[in-house]
Amino acid sequence: AKSEVRFRDERRLFGFIVNTLRAALAGSDLATPGTRLIETAERRELAARHEATLYPRSAGGVTREVREPFAVFDASPNEPARVPLPTLAPVETGGPVSGPFLQLARTYLVRPLLDGFEVVDQHALHERITYEGLVADLRAGRVEVQRYLVPELVEKSRAEVALVAGQAELLKRVGVEIAEFSETTLAVHGLPARLPRPNVRALVDDLIALLDDARAPSSEDLLESVLHRAACRSSVMAGDELSTEEMRSLFERGARLESDQTCVHGRPTRVRFTLADLEKAFQRR
């Protein structure tokens, strides 16, 4: 009849549950299947046809402008990289990381598979890669910091400066070196070197929002949230054009992870289409 129970060894039980869930997720395919998208598109098309039957257009109906849903960018391998993504040697996982690669609307990456192809959200994948690297550094106690010759100064209120400065030692554990410069100014002296292009001011705003949380998270929860925000802010974004080698680097680095099928917010990183999906879409079966 109890609504709440306690465990004698909570830490041991928690570790067992986390490890079990981690193992189960690592062995699962979380990619969105193309079949689901095709069926959704078919239902929408049927609904549109039904609506057109019920409400037919007049002879002088309005002509709507039709715009291309996306543009294709196939960058040359000789094009200079604009995003610092180090290229790694190919690794053997479920299949070879091989091209050709396409970038759609400077947001989605397409690559062939042995039994079809997949479309990857470049931001979601890079975010997962960056986050896992930061977590690995933290657990190993070797977070490398890129220190600035001249600190980045960020103006904030007195209360906000005091709030962040009061957690300076804790933030230093994840490579965020920040201190009070004046009553209304924070000085950012360094950030994790793993962040390819950190947005300092946005990251400071994130820190303030996290520290100001009324729930008063534990130190470990706070560090995890900081890593989440840092990974998101510093990853390639929708609209960033990538070269062929940058696309290859993302796929290869993702293949090295235990799982690269979701971003840190839980969104899928990829949609996978099999040959069977294509045959169904083109009514070959």
Side-chain angles (χ1 to χ4, degrees):
K2 292 184 177 179
S3 60
E4 183 176 330
V5 296
R6 293 183 179 181
F7 294 97
R8 181 175 293 107
D9 193 344
E10 292 184 357
R11 294 177 63 87
R12 183 180 178 186
L13 177 64
F14 180 78
F16 169 76
I17 293 175
V18 169
N19 291 334
T20 302
L21 291 174
R22 188 186 301 275
L25 289 174
S28 302
D29 185 0
L30 303 179
T32 301
T35 302
R36 185 190 305 171
L37 301 181
I38 293 172
E39 292 174 349
T40 300
E42 289 175 344
R43 288 195 297 269
R44 289 178 178 173
E45 182 178 357
L46 289 174
R49 289 178 181 176
H50 181 64
E51 182 179 358
T53 302
L54 294 177
Y55 307 102
R57 291 187 179 184
S58 62
V62 178
T63 302
R64 295 184 300 173
E65 178 186 4
V66 179
R67 302 180 63 184
E68 291 294 328
F70 55 75
V72 179
F73 301 90
D74 189 7
S76 168
N78 297 323
E79 180 182 349
R82 284 166 297 283
V83 182
L85 299 175
T87 301
L88 302 178
V91 293
E92 293 297 331
T93 53
V97 180
S98 60
F101 306 110
L102 292 176
Q103 185 183 32
L104 308 181
R106 296 188 175 93
T107 301
Y108 304 103
L109 310 181
V110 183
R111 70 159 178 153
L113 301 175
L114 295 177
D115 63 341
F117 70 96
E118 66 179 4
V119 183
V120 172
D121 184 319
Q122 65 188 37
H123 173 72
L125 177 58
H126 193 204
E127 182 181 77
R128 169 58 66 181
I129 293 169
T130 303
Y131 173 73
E132 292 297 336
L134 291 169
V135 170
D137 290 345
L138 177 62
R139 289 173 178 169
R142 50 172 174 76
V143 179
E144 184 178 350
V145 178
Q146 176 64 53
R147 293 180 175 83
Y148 302 132
L149 293 176
V150 178
E152 183 89 21
L153 301 181
V154 182
E155 295 292 329
K156 291 296 173 184
S157 69
R158 285 182 171 83
E160 290 171 335
V161 170
L163 181 67
V164 176
Q167 296 291 341
E169 286 302 314
L170 179 63
L171 295 174
K172 192 173 182 180
R173 288 178 53 190
V174 290
V176 178
E177 297 190 354
I178 190 170
E180 180 180 347
F181 185 79
S182 72
E183 290 185 344
T184 58
T185 307
L186 287 166
V188 180
H189 295 276
L191 291 175
R194 191 177 285 275
L195 302 181
R197 49 174 194 178
N199 185 329
V200 177
R201 295 182 181 276
L203 183 57
V204 170
D205 289 339
D206 288 340
L207 292 177
I208 292 172
L210 291 171
L211 293 171
D212 197 37
D213 193 330
R215 293 174 298 175
S218 67
S219 59
E220 295 303 321
D221 291 338
L222 175 61
L223 292 179
E224 181 178 351
S225 297
V226 170
L227 295 183
H228 277 179
R229 300 292 182 91
C232 182
R233 292 287 189 183
S234 65
S235 299
V236 296
M237 298 295 180
D240 290 341
E241 187 174 349
L242 304 183
S243 70
T244 299
E245 286 308 308
E246 288 169 335
M247 289 186 266
R248 184 187 302 278
S249 176
L250 274 180
F251 284 119
E252 291 177 349
R253 295 170 68 193
R256 285 182 175 270
L257 301 180
E258 182 179 9
S259 175
D260 65 342
Q261 299 185 58
T262 63
C263 73
V264 297
H265 305 291
R267 291 194 302 112
T269 60
R270 65 196 68 225
V271 175
R272 187 170 298 139
F273 292 86
T274 65
L275 294 178
D277 295 331
L278 295 178
E279 290 175 350
K280 180 177 180 179
F282 286 100
Q283 300 179 5
R284 288 181 173 270
R285 55 181 292 174

